[in-house]
Structure formats: C-alpha cells, structure tokens
Amino acid sequence: MEQVIQALKRTDAEERIPVLRLEIDYELVTLHDAMKGNDEEEKVQTKQRLKQLRQELIRLEA
C-alpha cells in the first residue's frame, strides 16, 4: 500500500511541475511589466507569489 501511495504522489508531482514552471514564467512577465510601469504594489505581490511558487517547485523536485 505504501508503494502505491508513493507512486501516486510521484505522478501528481510530475504533472504539477510543468504547470508550476508556466506559472513562474507568467509571474516573471507580470513582474517585468510592473517594473516597467513602476507599480510598487504589483511588484511586491508578484514577488510574494514567485516566492511561494519557488518553494512549491523545490518541494516537488526533492
């Protein structure tokens, strides 16, 4: 049973990682736009989302 659970977790992670990478790319574009527009509030929010996405990616790749 333990092996089945581990296999399911691996499958979920394998499916989530590419989606996470796309989300990170999108947030980087958003950050770039906020930097160009001098939107301080958007920069702070985007950096926070990037930090959360980065932590999730690291956790899944471990």
Side-chain angles (χ1 to χ4, degrees), residues 11-25:
T11 303
D12 289 344
E14 289 173 2
E15 292 174 0
R16 177 71 176 137
I17 289 173
V19 174
L20 262 176
R21 291 180 193 267
L22 288 173
E23 290 179 19
I24 289 171
D25 287 345

Side-chain angles (χ1 to χ4, degrees), residues 18-44:
V19 174
L20 262 176
R21 291 180 193 267
L22 288 173
E23 290 179 19
I24 289 171
D25 287 345
Y26 175 80
E27 292 300 333
L28 287 171
V29 170
T30 303
L31 179 59
H32 179 261
D33 291 343
M35 291 171 72
K36 283 177 62 176
N38 289 328
D39 186 345
E40 293 299 321
E41 183 178 335
E42 186 66 25
K43 284 194 287 188
V44 170

